[in-house]
Amino acid sequence: MKKHIPNTITCCNLISGCIATYFAFMGDFHLALLFIVVGAVFDFFDGMVARLLHVSSPIGKELDSLADDITFGFAPSAIIFSYLCTFHIHAPFVPFLAFVMAAFSALRLAKFNLDERQALGFIGLPTPANALFWGSLIVGLDQYEVEFEGLEWVILIGTFISCYLLIAEIPMFALKFKHWGWKDNEIKYVFLLTCIPLLLFLGIIGFAAIIAWYVILSVVTMKK
């Protein structure tokens, strides 16, 4: 019976992604982001539970990637799509370009499953971080009614930059601690400490700023 527990948690992640996608298409970006976060919580615990119960399996690994692409690939793409649909864009196909990110998320997840270099860090932007960036950014832009000429094209260009970062050969640190001392953990502590003022001053958009800062810090400090 216990061997089914991790896969059940993974399915809860997938269902959360489906619900997030529904709210994204309905234009309720707050609830879409909420269910992406709920999915991330399930994603965190499924692997932990599998290790604790010693029931890791190949099918669980494949199911996890499928769930992650729904929650952290398709759902944020749907958020961007719905947001772009609010603009008066003369070319009606343009919002559909948002779904390119779902494809690149799937590619990133497939690469992660085969890449043995990513045990202690990441190569490329993790899909949950990318989903949190776009979810919080769109929620913030919508909440504060941010508007300026060409915003839709900035969003679209940003989407393609995200696609590149997902599969780029850029080492990025993971928040995994072998010990709690300062030595060898300097980057992680600096990152965590700087997250606090970003959230305090920027509110919901602060999460997007944190992900951008994570990418910048990784590029500057994790050079090969």
Side-chain angles (χ1 to χ4, degrees):
M1 180 65 184
K2 68 179 183 179
K3 68 179 181 180
H4 298 298
I5 295 176
N7 288 345
T8 300
I9 297 174
T10 302
C11 288
C12 290
N13 172 18
L14 191 151
I15 293 168
S16 298
C18 292
I19 297 172
T21 303
Y22 165 79
F23 283 117
F25 284 134
M26 295 296 292
D28 194 330
F29 304 127
H30 288 80
L31 283 177
L33 175 59
L34 173 62
F35 277 96
I36 287 176
V37 173
V38 170
V41 173
F42 285 124
D43 183 52
F44 175 80
F45 282 107
D46 62 359
M48 178 186 294
V49 171
R51 289 187 291 270
L52 288 174
L53 298 178
H54 304 290
V55 290
S56 298
S57 66
I59 192 172
K61 188 176 182 180
E62 299 302 323
L63 181 62
D64 184 67
S65 292
L66 175 60
D68 284 355
D69 192 40
I70 296 296
T71 305
F72 309 127
F74 187 51
S77 295
I79 291 175
I80 298 171
F81 168 82
S82 293
Y83 186 67
L84 288 175
C85 285
T86 64
F87 294 89
H88 299 291
I89 303 175
H90 296 297
F93 68 88
V94 168
F96 289 94
L97 294 174
F99 294 112
V100 172
M101 194 169 69
F104 274 82
S105 296
L107 182 58
R108 191 268 183 281
L109 290 163
K111 288 183 63 178
F112 179 80
N113 286 343
L114 300 174
D115 196 339
E116 298 179 355
R117 299 173 297 168
Q118 302 191 54
L120 298 176
F122 302 107
I123 305 296
L125 182 63
T127 53
N130 184 60
L132 180 60
F133 173 85
W134 283 107
S136 58
L137 179 64
I138 299 301
V139 166
L141 292 175
D142 183 63
Q143 176 178 315
Y144 298 119
E145 299 182 349
V146 177
E147 293 182 7
F148 58 83
E149 188 69 28
L151 175 58
E152 64 273 28
W153 301 110
V154 172
I155 296 295
L156 194 59
I157 292 170
T159 300
F160 286 114
I161 292 174
S162 284
C163 290
Y164 166 74
L165 290 174
L166 286 167
I167 62 169
E169 288 289 310
I170 301 175
M172 297 190 182
F173 64 89
L175 292 175
K176 297 179 181 178
F177 293 84
K178 290 184 177 180
H179 59 84
W180 298 106
W182 175 262
K183 186 175 174 56
D184 300 324
N185 292 320
E186 300 94 332
I187 299 171
K188 300 168 189 174
Y189 281 126
V190 167
F191 173 71
L192 291 172
L193 289 172
T194 51
C195 287
I196 298 172
L198 287 173
L199 289 175
L200 289 176
F201 287 107
L202 298 177
I204 190 68
I205 296 184
F207 289 103
I210 286 171
I211 302 303
W213 171 230
Y214 167 73
V215 173
I216 295 170
L217 196 58
S218 293
V219 170
V220 171
T221 62
M222 300 290 288
K223 293 180 180 178
K224 293 183 180 180

